[in-house]
Amino acid sequence: MKKLLSSIILASLAITSLFAGGNVKRLDNDKVLDLNGFWNENDVKIVCEALIEDCIASPRIAKFEDKNGRAPVVILGTIKNESAERIDTTIISKKMQTAILRTGVLEFVADASEREELRDEVKSQADHASEDTAKAMDEEEGADFMLQGSVKAIVQKEGKKSVRTYFVTVSLTDLQTHRIIWEGDNSEAPVRKYFKQKSVKF
């Protein structure tokens, strides 16, 4: 039993020393790092910059503001990952929301994942906050449009070589009529990556 316990302790120490002995290097924010050819933070930046610029320049969005005297209100829907990779698409939608908000062209309300927490707080205020500061229930602002989209990837393989091409499409849909009032994609400048697997020598 003592030998088994000693073996477990030694194995744990070996694993700890293995991770502790690694080198950590802080990278500059403007340095592009692509270790394996898969989707990464630089791809998010490239795609979002193109889509955001196209979105805020949409004549239909400007037409809505002229007609209603205010900026359209948007709620984040789902950007679906339709590729075979593990891609956190909420990074794309949140990055777009942040950048578009800064332009003032569109306003956003909390998405579905955030609303329940906000509503719980309003309920709590009804019981515990003063009448002067408590927020009323059923006074939420309704969104005009929903932002949705998808990420798709085409992968070409030949031996140890592969080319991955990523296509991202995002749209704004009128919640009342379900008419798409804007849609953008990166088809004119898709993210394309060539990757060659190294040979392993034994």
Side-chain angles (χ1 to χ4, degrees), residues 100-129:
I100 293 172
L101 267 173
R102 288 174 180 165
T103 69
V105 174
L106 297 171
E107 301 292 341
F108 284 80
V109 292
D111 63 39
S113 65
E114 300 164 331
R115 283 199 301 265
E116 289 307 314
E117 185 176 8
L118 291 166
R119 288 168 181 166
D120 287 342
E121 171 58 23
V122 174
K123 290 176 184 176
S124 178
Q125 287 187 11
D127 294 330
H128 305 290

